[in-house]
Amino acid sequence: VAADLVVLSTGIVPDAATTLAESLANHGYVTAAFVANPWLVRGYGFEQGFALYEDGFAGLETTADDVTTAVAQWLGERNRERPFFLYLHLMDVHGPYLASPEDVEAVASSPSLGPDRYLTVTEHETIPKYLLKSAVHPSEVRRLRAWRAAYAAGVRQFDRRLAALFEILHHHHLFDQAVVVLTSDHGEELFEHGGSDHGWNLYEHQLWVPLVMRLPNGERGGARCAQPVRLLDVAPTLLSLTGAASTTPLQGSDLTRLLRDAGTLESAPAFASATKHRPGLLAWVEEPYKLVADRDFKQMAVFDLESDPAETRNIAPDQEQ
């Protein structure tokens, strides 16, 4: 047990780090967080800067519905004289994919799921035990589309739950005044490269996540930016939009110019790491190329994401020649 505690304690946010919540609190914002992710409970350092940090919901099967009542109560009781920063970390589209049968049926025939096939024995063995609790029927556990339908159904179900949270903001006359950001910390592998779950590799299905930002009063609603951006850019963008820009240099880029349609930004590389099972794995992306290096096994791969978006051909040997 002592050894496990040491391992867990190495992956925490250091006290010296300045979080987004701390920066906003220093500029007069009331800060609150409601987190369902077990890896964000108190002790990992993510609570820094939050006046309220509610992690009692943490669990893989916690849904947005479980936190809605608490969020509504907090919004009703908040100090109305001060702006607020509300952070929600929800787990609805995470495994074990427990969407309702109605949602699974609604997406089961969608062409976006791709062609069906039987999983290989090796692929089936990669499915972790916690995913076997999913909405996939035991008779369908070897069918590729069954797993993809269960995941897609979770997205559909979460869409309704998210709408309920937005209704709370509307009820308190806050929605049109707020900057609303929706994003994710990772994607999911659904047998694109022979495996399932996440945390095993750094292919695009794990790294490419949505970033949706709604400006007050729906300014430029529906606009889509073609330029790739990074999760690293979210914090400096929010600090800029709220007038709380940091005096300390930040690694990320302020995306305000893109949001206001005021031009493009200088292209910047994106980096990824911290997989659960292969901590030595690192990725560097500067379109159209992507480099993946494994420090532990001394391996390297290079992909041309423009001509090979599915990352099926390692061109590193070609470059060496």
Side-chain angles (χ1 to χ4, degrees):
V1 173
D4 288 340
L5 290 175
V6 169
V7 170
L8 291 175
S9 68
T10 60
I12 64 175
V13 178
D15 291 338
T18 301
T19 66
L20 176 60
E22 286 177 307
S23 295
L24 291 172
N26 291 336
H27 280 78
Y29 278 72
V30 177
T31 56
F34 296 81
V35 299
N37 191 332
W39 293 105
L40 266 68
V41 296
R42 290 180 180 275
Y44 290 107
F46 295 103
E47 69 271 18
Q48 291 178 203
F50 286 103
L52 172 67
Y53 197 80
E54 180 55 71
D55 60 359
F57 306 101
L60 294 182
E61 297 181 22
T62 300
T63 71
D65 290 341
D66 297 325
V67 304
T68 297
T69 301
V71 170
Q73 181 177 345
W74 182 83
L75 285 172
E77 297 174 350
R78 78 191 190 286
N79 182 340
R80 296 175 183 269
E81 301 301 317
R82 296 172 59 189
F84 68 86
F85 171 52
L86 174 62
Y87 176 75
L88 305 179
H89 195 117
L90 305 171
M91 300 293 284
D92 295 65
V93 191
H94 196 282
Y97 318 150
L98 296 175
S100 69
E102 293 77 15
D103 284 303
V104 174
E105 183 178 357
V107 302
S109 60
S110 172
S112 66
L113 301 181
D116 195 14
R117 63 174 175 82
Y118 281 99
L119 302 181
T120 66
V121 173
T122 301
E123 288 174 329
H124 181 253
E125 289 175 346
T126 69
I127 302 172
K129 289 183 179 179
Y130 86 102
L131 287 185
L132 295 178
K133 298 168 60 178
S134 74
V136 176
H137 192 275
S139 65
E140 297 280 286
V141 75
R142 291 286 298 274
R143 302 295 295 266
L144 174 62
R145 282 180 64 90
W147 285 101
R148 293 187 173 178
Y151 185 82
V155 176
R156 187 176 192 272
Q157 183 170 264
F158 180 61
D159 185 65
R160 290 196 308 278
R161 291 171 174 167
L162 192 62
L165 288 168
F166 289 163
E167 282 302 316
I168 294 173
L169 293 175
H170 278 295
H171 176 75
H172 291 283
H173 307 289
L174 295 168
F175 191 72
D176 283 333
Q177 303 173 38
V179 174
V180 180
V181 180
L182 174 67
T183 189
S184 178
D185 52 355
H186 62 76
E188 192 82 336
E189 180 171 5
L190 295 166
F191 307 102
E192 292 88 347
H193 287 87
S196 61
D197 198 28
H198 54 272
W200 294 92
N201 56 60
L202 293 175
Y203 288 112
E204 291 295 277
H205 47 65
Q206 313 249 341
L207 303 185
W208 196 263
V209 297
L211 175 58
V212 182
M213 303 185 73
R214 185 187 190 277
L215 298 178
N217 298 307
E219 179 186 347
R220 295 196 69 231
R224 183 167 183 168
C225 174
Q227 181 174 347
V229 297
R230 307 161 298 175
L231 289 180
L232 195 66
D233 303 329
V234 174
T237 303
L238 288 179
L239 291 175
S240 176
L241 289 171
T242 56
S246 174
T247 56
T248 303
L250 299 174
Q251 288 181 309
S253 301
D254 177 4
L255 305 179
T256 303
R257 289 180 61 191
L258 297 181
L259 293 172
R260 306 290 189 193
D261 195 25
T264 60
L265 296 177
E266 183 178 350
S267 179
F271 299 90
S273 62
T275 61
K276 287 186 299 187
H277 306 287
R278 296 177 64 183
L281 204 60
L282 304 169
W284 170 74
V285 182
E286 189 163 2
E287 293 196 337
Y289 297 107
K290 176 178 181 179
L291 168 68
V292 181
D294 193 322
R295 294 177 298 178
D296 296 331
F297 293 92
K298 310 302 181 187
Q299 297 174 336
M300 181 181 71
V302 177
F303 300 100
D304 183 336
L305 297 178
E306 186 174 285
S307 63
D308 180 27
E311 298 168 283
T312 60
R313 180 171 176 263
N314 175 15
I315 62 173
D318 297 343
Q319 308 306 310
E320 293 173 0
Q321 295 175 2

